[in-house]
Amino acid sequence: MDNDPLFANYGDIPLAELQSKSEVDFPYTEVGSLMEHLNDEVVLVRGRAQTIRGVGKKMAFVVVRERGFTVQAVVSEQAGLVSPQMVKYVASLNRESIIDVEGILTVPSDPIKGASQKSCPEPPHQPRHAARSEADIKKDQEYGDQLVRVNQDTRLNHRIIDIRTPANQGIFRIQSQVGNIFRQFLLSEGFAEIHMPKLIAGSSEGGSAVLELDYKGQPACLDQSPQLHKQMVTCGDFVRAFEIGPAFRAEDSYTHRHLCKFTSLDIEMEIKKHYSEARKGVLFFYVMDVVDRLFVERLKDAGVEIDPLGDLNTESERKLGQLVLEGIASENRYGTEFYILHRSPLAARPFYNTPCYDNPAYSSSFDVFIQGEEIISGAQHVHVPEFLIERVQSCGIDVNTISTYVDSFRYGAPPHGRFRVGLERVVMLFCGLDNIRKTLLYPRDLLRIAPSGADRNS
Amino acid sequence: MDNDPLFANYGDIPLAELQSKSEVDFPYTEVGSLMEHLNDEVVLVRGRAQTIRGVGKKMAFVVVRERGFTVQAVVSEQAGLVSPQMVKYVASLNRESIIDVEGILTVPSDPIKGASQKSCPEPPHQPRHAARSEADIKKDQEYGDQLVRVNQDTRLNHRIIDIRTPANQGIFRIQSQVGNIFRQFLLSEGFAEIHMPKLIAGSSEGGSAVLELDYKGQPACLDQSPQLHKQMVTCGDFVRAFEIGPAFRAEDSYTHRHLCKFTSLDIEMEIKKHYSEARKGVLFFYVMDVVDRLFVERLKDAGVEIDPLGDLNTESERKLGQLVLEGIASENRYGTEFYILHRSPLAARPFYNTPCYDNPAYSSSFDVFIQGEEIISGAQHVHVPEFLIERVQSCGIDVNTISTYVDSFRYGAPPHGRFRVGLERVVMLFCGLDNIRKTLLYPRDLLRIAPSGADRNS
């Protein structure tokens, strides 16, 4: 390229030019913003060289990708503008390189299809492979093609490659918006966003799912839930408060929906009379059917054994979802994938849950289901200290271990309640994903605490 | 009260009535919403009995407080409506009780002053005492009164009482809005909100300020900053991303502004040419003066010793703030409490910071100061893996300990940079508070890991 008079039109950008030497003079356009109104205009984009294809020595094609959007760039030999050396340079680019491309935009009459690829040093897996859906892979197999399938462990081990796929670019932008919609609704309803301590003193008397810390010589734990702190804040006159933050549980469950670290959307609020006031905090509740726990008795008729005073397991939750979805023909009701189950058995709820006023075997509580999976749970909480002590003791917990919490109700506490949503679980069900790990940039369970910035790669 | 024919007009609400028995029939009005348009209307409020005063046997006054707002309620004997027993009941209420009050609203021509108090069982401290400013206490002392001053440890130990004061009701609502304004601005600029893992594998090779975890038998740590993970996400095509979440540092500094757990507002973004693109992400930067690090040389003239290639300490930061505020008379510039210092010495920045293109002893970086305290720091980050390794090694770090991070730049990485803001620090300076602990509901430092829901009170 040394003897190419057109050398200034292409090439590697020297590092010094990218060390904040000068500010941007010609504006960049996002690939996703390349619309018809820019037809025939000169545009500058920065993106990744997703695929590169040379055609002879005079022409090369590059599919440029930015935030999941792609555009095809064509470079073709032309006197005084594009030299053969420039075409050669373009054709020899590494895939997934970040490149600047300046050119004239042409809106094609037909959409450009993906181009075939030439060989070059490969990342651990290719976004273009990971981007294929199971349906696409199956279809191609029927035509006799054997396409690369990238399995979940490979994806998670090389997460920074995997999240470049259009599906992942979508999932995490949806997640960002789910959190934001939840927050904006609550702020508009007079809630304050709060930040709970996460670090608590003492060792894990609360159970085996607690992660223990060395707090510079003192024993400490990571908080499993902001629940007790949130209730205390309610006693401190923040009668409508919420937190969106990490919760930590060393759960021994290796299911498609259990994690050691997840994002919890937690609200706590004063209620004047009834826990249905908290239920109204969930936007989509307005269009939901309410199913009484006693309805669950029907699971028996459907052949599913359940403990009438116990919690539902994954199987019975799914069966219940199916029953509700199919609807009750004789009664002409339900027939929905979104519903609320209320008045769960008290024995299946934590000590701070209030019993029903008319039947202490059941609780003032509600659980929201989508497609047979619980995504939200809510309840009224005990606000009278003497009654709270009774509940704590009947659940076999030593009152002394949580006496600061119990005492916080002694100086005047309003009736109050909460609901709680797992951000990742909502996104999983909303996007129809089969595993909650697909909703975390860096999922953590007891078998996976990598990748992270501090990993060795040996 | 048994023989009072008007017994239904007052009394303790039975617990069962507060167990979600019935929904609200008559709407409650918030104390803060009691405005002139409701004059002469019947209203129902729920709040705390902040002060109670009986006047003979026929009248009682109660100041009702809700979310820091107060209204005075008057109950006065009246045939067929208010019995002497009812007046007696009201006068014997406990302070800080939660009460429902129904009555006719009268807007007074002059504001009601605080009433004097009668004795009753006391919480550890009274919100009405904690609400007094230092200025008020001083003024009252000049008049010969000795008012109760509630000191900071008492406030923090009984945080749920303390946060009921109007000042604290304000501080945490401002904090909620600061986070929201930051978030809304970034979302409108195309940033996605992300959630980083917090849990990382390995022991604390990163330094003594790391909190170590027992991850069910594996050594692990709490992440001190989302920095490395955020950069990796940028390599995964989330070229504009931010997190607002907890960061954990076991800092040995016992200053007014150091904590073990704080809320970090962190952004990472692709930059096309210059780190000033990241700087534009901070709203109020538009009205700020930019001060070159070389200006700091003037600190010497002001008698403050500084290392020209080292970090500024608290004292020199404050002195610099004073110099900038006073302005440079001869040059007729500055004279502001808000300014940016850019191009800090590279030796005072972390390994991932890019050196200046024209002088490798300085860095492509900026720090934002309010009143002589740093609240935001930002920089361009190294995106070329070979150069990153050079930087890592020159900072004395073993590249192997962060090889996953370094490798994530090998498959195409855009030039990128960040800025970072401590939420609590912004609120402290914005509200003019003297200690960062006042901006946390449950502050945590190496001497304080209480109160929490799981504390014993022995």
Side-chain angles (χ1 to χ4, degrees), chain A residues 111-377:
Chain A
I112 308 279
K113 293 272 180 175
S116 68
Q117 285 85 29
K118 66 181 270 292
S119 140
C120 81
E122 301 275 321
H125 70 278
Q126 293 278 351
R128 70 196 163 89
H129 293 150
R132 289 200 187 97
S133 69
E134 284 297 315
D136 278 352
I137 292 173
K138 205 172 160 195
K139 206 173 90 188
D140 285 326
Q141 279 169 339
E142 282 164 10
Y143 284 102
D145 286 342
Q146 193 64 42
L147 290 182
V148 178
R149 175 190 274 119
V150 186
N151 76 30
Q152 174 136 312
D153 265 343
T154 306
R155 289 171 185 271
L156 295 181
N157 289 340
H158 304 284
R159 196 62 167 148
I160 65 131
I161 309 289
D162 193 46
I163 58 178
R164 296 177 190 173
T165 62
N168 277 327
Q169 291 282 314
I171 287 169
F172 293 101
R173 289 194 162 79
I174 287 170
Q175 188 179 72
S176 170
Q177 284 304 327
V178 169
N180 190 44
I181 290 166
F182 180 88
R183 178 181 282 108
Q184 292 315 311
F185 176 76
L186 291 173
L187 288 172
S188 74
E189 293 280 315
F191 284 80
E193 184 166 13
I194 56 174
H195 301 281
M196 296 292 88
K198 310 299 170 210
L199 302 170
I200 57 176
S203 51
S204 64
E205 295 176 76
S208 63
V210 174
L211 287 166
E212 296 192 332
L213 273 176
D214 171 25
Y215 200 71
K216 296 285 151 180
Q218 293 178 62
C221 299
L222 278 178
D223 211 0
Q224 290 186 280
S225 148
Q227 183 52 38
L228 305 189
H229 295 104
K230 259 191 329 162
Q231 286 188 260
M232 289 162 72
V233 169
T234 307
C235 293
D237 284 3
F238 287 89
V239 290
R240 291 188 153 213
F242 72 100
E243 181 175 41
I244 302 183
F248 303 94
R249 290 193 200 171
E251 297 213 68
D252 268 327
S253 308
Y254 300 95
T255 75
H256 71 288
R257 65 181 197 184
H258 285 96
L259 292 165
C260 287
K261 182 256 167 187
F262 59 98
T263 305
S264 188
L265 317 179
D266 266 275
I267 80 120
E268 194 78 35
M269 63 183 278
E270 174 198 52
I271 62 184
K272 302 297 187 191
K273 290 267 185 180
H274 198 287
Y275 67 89
S276 63
E277 297 164 41
R279 215 168 63 194
K280 283 174 191 145
V282 186
L283 290 95
F284 34 66
F285 278 20
Y286 293 106
V287 295
M288 282 191 175
D289 271 309
V290 175
V291 179
D292 196 278
R293 167 73 185 204
L294 295 175
F295 171 81
V296 175
E297 297 291 318
R298 290 176 191 259
L299 283 172
K300 279 191 203 155
D301 306 335
V304 181
E305 254 336 295
I306 59 150
D307 172 3
L309 295 181
D311 213 355
L312 298 180
N313 60 24
T314 306
E315 190 208 343
S316 38
E317 281 185 0
R318 289 210 166 145
K319 190 72 194 169
L320 177 66
Q322 204 183 316
L323 281 179
V324 173
L325 177 59
E326 287 165 3
I328 310 302
S330 61
E331 301 168 37
N332 194 24
R333 58 175 188 165
Y334 304 138
T336 172
E337 291 190 305
F338 302 83
Y339 58 94
I340 300 170
L341 188 66
H342 76 159
R343 294 165 66 95
S344 276
L346 190 65
R349 309 292 298 197
F351 68 84
Y352 43 78
N353 205 147
T354 310
C356 287
Y357 73 97
D358 57 349
N359 187 343
Y362 293 91
S363 65
S364 293
S365 72
F366 63 95
D367 294 289
V368 179
F369 288 79
I370 296 184
Q371 297 163 5
E373 298 222 38
E374 184 223 302
I375 53 155
I376 301 175
S377 97

Side-chain angles (χ1 to χ4, degrees), chain A residues 15-16 18-24 28 46 48 65 67 96 98 123-124 160-161 163-164 168-169 172-173 176 180 183-184 187 190 193-197 199-201 205 208 211-216 218 220 229 232-233 235-240 246 250 260-261 263 270-277 354-355 357 364 380 383 387 400-405 407-408 411-415 423 441-442 444-446 449 452-457, chain B residues 15-16 18-24 28 46 48 65 67 96 98 123-124 160-161 163-164 168-169 172-173 176 180 183-184 187 190 193-197 199-201 205 208 211-216 218 220 229 232-233 235-240 246 250 260-261 263 270-277 354-355 357 364 380 384 387 400-405 407-408 411-415 423 441-442 444-446 449 452-457:
Chain A
L15 182 56
L18 295 171
Q19 281 180 280
S20 296
K21 186 175 173 185
S22 57
E23 305 206 4
V24 171
Y28 287 76
R46 178 171 295 176
R48 287 188 187 278
R65 190 185 73 239
R67 298 191 188 205
E96 295 293 302
I98 303 280
I160 65 131
I161 309 289
I163 58 178
R164 296 177 190 173
N168 277 327
Q169 291 282 314
F172 293 101
R173 289 194 162 79
S176 170
N180 190 44
R183 178 181 282 108
Q184 292 315 311
L187 288 172
E193 184 166 13
I194 56 174
H195 301 281
M196 296 292 88
L199 302 170
I200 57 176
E205 295 176 76
S208 63
L211 287 166
E212 296 192 332
L213 273 176
D214 171 25
Y215 200 71
K216 296 285 151 180
Q218 293 178 62
H229 295 104
M232 289 162 72
V233 169
C235 293
D237 284 3
F238 287 89
V239 290
R240 291 188 153 213
C260 287
K261 182 256 167 187
T263 305
E270 174 198 52
I271 62 184
K272 302 297 187 191
K273 290 267 185 180
H274 198 287
Y275 67 89
S276 63
E277 297 164 41
T354 310
Y357 73 97
S364 293
Q380 181 177 356
H383 69 282
F387 185 45
N400 288 319
T401 59
I402 51 170
S403 60
T404 294
Y405 165 76
D407 286 349
S408 65
Y411 310 110
L423 174 63
L441 288 163
Y442 300 90
R444 295 291 186 250
D445 59 40
L446 286 186
I449 191 170
S452 80
D455 291 338
R456 287 163 185 274
N457 247 344
Chain B
L15 181 55
L18 295 172
Q19 281 180 278
S20 297
K21 186 175 174 183
S22 56
E23 305 204 3
V24 170
Y28 287 76
R46 178 171 293 175
R48 288 188 185 278
R65 188 186 75 238
R67 298 190 188 204
E96 294 293 302
I98 303 281
I160 67 132
I161 309 291
I163 58 177
R164 296 178 191 173
N168 277 327
Q169 292 283 312
F172 293 100
R173 288 193 164 78
S176 170
N180 190 44
R183 177 182 282 108
Q184 292 315 311
L187 288 172
E193 185 167 12
I194 56 173
H195 302 281
M196 296 292 89
L199 303 170
I200 57 176
E205 295 175 76
S208 63
L211 288 166
E212 296 192 334
L213 273 177
D214 170 24
Y215 201 70
K216 297 284 153 177
Q218 295 178 63
H229 296 104
M232 288 161 73
V233 169
C235 294
D237 283 2
F238 287 89
V239 290
R240 292 189 152 213
C260 287
K261 182 254 165 188
T263 304
E270 175 199 52
I271 61 186
K272 303 296 189 192
K273 290 270 188 180
H274 198 285
Y275 67 89
S276 64
E277 297 164 41
T354 309
Y357 73 98
S364 292
Q380 180 177 356
V384 177
F387 185 45
N400 287 319
T401 60
I402 51 170
S403 61
T404 295
Y405 165 76
D407 286 348
S408 66
Y411 310 109
L423 175 63
L441 289 163
Y442 301 89
R444 295 291 186 252
D445 59 41
L446 284 186
I449 191 170
S452 80
D455 291 337
R456 288 162 184 276
N457 247 342

Side-chain angles (χ1 to χ4, degrees), chain B residues 32-318:
Chain B
S33 303
L34 295 173
M35 298 294 178
E36 285 190 0
H37 71 279
L38 294 170
N39 199 19
D40 294 332
E41 302 274 329
V42 175
V43 294
L44 172 64
V45 299
R46 178 171 293 175
R48 288 188 185 278
Q50 176 168 281
T51 60
I52 305 110
R53 183 168 56 117
V55 179
K57 291 187 173 176
K58 298 200 169 177
M59 214 172 178
F61 296 87
V62 180
V63 174
V64 183
R65 188 186 75 238
E66 186 183 24
R67 298 190 188 204
F69 294 97
T70 52
V71 64
Q72 180 176 266
V74 186
V75 59
S76 174
E77 198 184 325
Q78 193 180 330
L81 188 67
V82 177
S83 60
Q85 291 95 321
M86 179 168 172
V87 174
K88 190 179 169 192
Y89 174 84
V90 170
S92 68
L93 283 171
N94 282 332
R95 268 199 296 240
E96 294 293 302
S97 299
I98 303 281
I99 57 172
D100 277 7
V101 182
E102 190 177 317
I104 297 166
L105 185 73
T106 305
V107 180
S109 46
D110 295 311
I112 308 279
K113 294 271 181 177
S116 69
Q117 286 85 26
K118 66 182 271 288
S119 142
C120 80
E122 302 274 325
H125 70 278
Q126 293 279 351
R128 69 196 165 87
H129 294 150
R132 289 199 187 97
S133 69
E134 284 297 315
D136 278 352
I137 292 173
K138 204 172 162 195
K139 204 173 91 186
D140 285 325
Q141 279 169 339
E142 282 165 9
Y143 284 101
D145 287 341
Q146 193 63 43
L147 291 182
V148 177
R149 175 189 273 118
V150 185
N151 74 30
Q152 173 135 312
D153 266 343
T154 306
R155 289 171 185 270
L156 294 182
N157 289 339
H158 304 284
R159 196 63 167 147
I160 67 132
I161 309 291
D162 192 46
I163 58 177
R164 296 178 191 173
T165 62
N168 277 327
Q169 292 283 312
I171 288 169
F172 293 100
R173 288 193 164 78
I174 288 170
Q175 188 179 71
S176 170
Q177 284 305 328
V178 169
N180 190 44
I181 289 166
F182 180 86
R183 177 182 282 108
Q184 292 315 311
F185 175 75
L186 291 174
L187 288 172
S188 75
E189 293 280 316
F191 284 80
E193 185 167 12
I194 56 173
H195 302 281
M196 296 292 89
K198 310 300 170 208
L199 303 170
I200 57 176
S203 52
S204 63
E205 295 175 76
S208 63
V210 173
L211 288 166
E212 296 192 334
L213 273 177
D214 170 24
Y215 201 70
K216 297 284 153 177
Q218 295 178 63
C221 298
L222 278 177
D223 211 0
Q224 290 186 279
S225 148
Q227 183 52 38
L228 305 190
H229 296 104
K230 258 190 330 160
Q231 286 187 261
M232 288 161 73
V233 169
T234 307
C235 294
D237 283 2
F238 287 89
V239 290
R240 292 189 152 213
F242 72 101
E243 181 175 40
I244 302 183
F248 303 94
R249 289 195 199 167
E251 298 213 67
D252 267 328
S253 308
Y254 299 96
T255 75
H256 72 288
R257 65 180 196 184
H258 284 97
L259 292 166
C260 287
K261 182 254 165 188
F262 60 98
T263 304
S264 189
L265 317 180
D266 267 274
I267 81 119
E268 193 79 34
M269 62 183 279
E270 175 199 52
I271 61 186
K272 303 296 189 192
K273 290 270 188 180
H274 198 285
Y275 67 89
S276 64
E277 297 164 41
R279 214 169 64 195
K280 284 175 190 146
V282 185
L283 288 95
F284 34 67
F285 278 21
Y286 293 108
V287 296
M288 285 191 171
D289 272 308
V290 176
V291 179
D292 196 279
R293 167 73 186 204
L294 294 175
F295 172 81
V296 175
E297 297 290 318
R298 290 176 191 262
L299 282 171
K300 279 192 203 154
D301 307 335
V304 181
E305 254 335 297
I306 59 150
D307 172 2
L309 294 182
D311 213 356
L312 297 180
N313 61 23
T314 306
E315 191 207 343
S316 38
E317 281 185 2
R318 288 211 166 144

